[in-house]
Amino acid sequence: MSITMEFGGLDDLIRECSEQATQKELDKVNRKVLKACANSSKQKLSKRLPRSKNVNQSGRKGSRTFKHSADEVPMSGMRKKGERRYIVVGWDKGDNSPYFYTKFNEWGTSKRPPVPIFHTISKEINAELKSTGMEEYENLLKRVIQ
């Protein structure tokens, strides 16, 4: 369940930055924006995941963690595939951690319809990504030009 974000709408600003700044400076800004958005999506996800009233009775006996999955949302480190960088927030389909069941909220089961929490957060984070990206790239331009 990764959230994909594009830096669309920032093309002119990114082009100007790439002409004025070094690749190292651009990479640093990209990492900062990506980390900020990943942390924000982790917080939003943690607030929206369902919680049981009594965590001591959640799950089957013998495999209870006595914690809510909302409190244990995983976040990977910075990853790179080709020229793209990304951070995975949440559980993927192959996950078999104690909170593996959380992925069934997003994709549903044969008896339960999907509840697209991740998809909703992805849309919200895209707007945040653009504003954070604009702010950081403008700051970079100001530093480089001065």
Side-chain angles (χ1 to χ4, degrees):
M1 281 187 257
S2 64
I3 297 175
T4 305
M5 292 177 253
E6 293 290 326
F7 284 101
L10 301 173
D11 295 334
D12 295 334
L13 192 56
I14 293 172
R15 192 177 314 109
E16 183 68 29
C17 283
S18 63
E19 291 172 2
Q20 302 293 328
T22 65
Q23 187 61 38
K24 188 175 181 180
E25 290 171 320
L26 286 172
D27 204 33
K28 187 176 179 181
V29 169
N30 288 339
R31 286 173 179 262
K32 187 174 181 180
V33 170
L34 194 57
K35 283 181 183 179
C37 289
N39 287 330
S40 177
S41 62
K42 182 177 177 177
Q43 290 173 351
K44 288 180 184 209
L45 183 61
S46 192
K47 289 178 185 175
R48 292 195 187 158
L49 284 172
R51 295 174 184 263
S52 61
K53 291 179 183 174
N54 185 354
V55 73
N56 295 329
Q57 295 177 349
S58 293
R60 63 176 192 235
K61 289 184 180 180
S63 63
R64 293 181 179 152
T65 60
F66 303 106
K67 296 179 183 176
H68 291 288
S69 62
D71 299 329
E72 301 293 321
V73 176
M75 187 169 83
S76 74
M78 188 75 64
R79 295 181 182 175
K80 187 174 182 179
K81 187 175 186 179
E83 290 298 313
R84 301 182 106 176
R85 291 191 184 278
Y86 63 97
I87 297 175
V88 178
V89 177
W91 299 266
D92 62 2
K93 285 187 177 184
D95 189 286
N96 58 355
S97 70
Y99 305 102
F100 73 94
Y101 58 86
T102 306
K103 59 190 167 193
F104 300 133
N105 287 330
E106 187 75 11
W107 294 298
T109 65
S110 60
K111 296 179 181 180
R112 185 175 177 185
V115 180
I117 298 169
F118 285 86
H119 183 70
T120 306
I121 291 173
S122 175
K123 287 181 180 178
E124 292 174 15
I125 292 296
N126 270 330
E128 188 176 319
L129 174 77
K130 288 178 184 176
S131 66
T132 305
M134 284 289 253
E135 185 179 310
E136 290 300 323
Y137 279 116
E138 286 173 356
N139 290 340
L140 175 63
L141 268 178
K142 287 176 187 174
R143 283 194 312 262
V144 170
I145 291 174
Q146 292 177 4

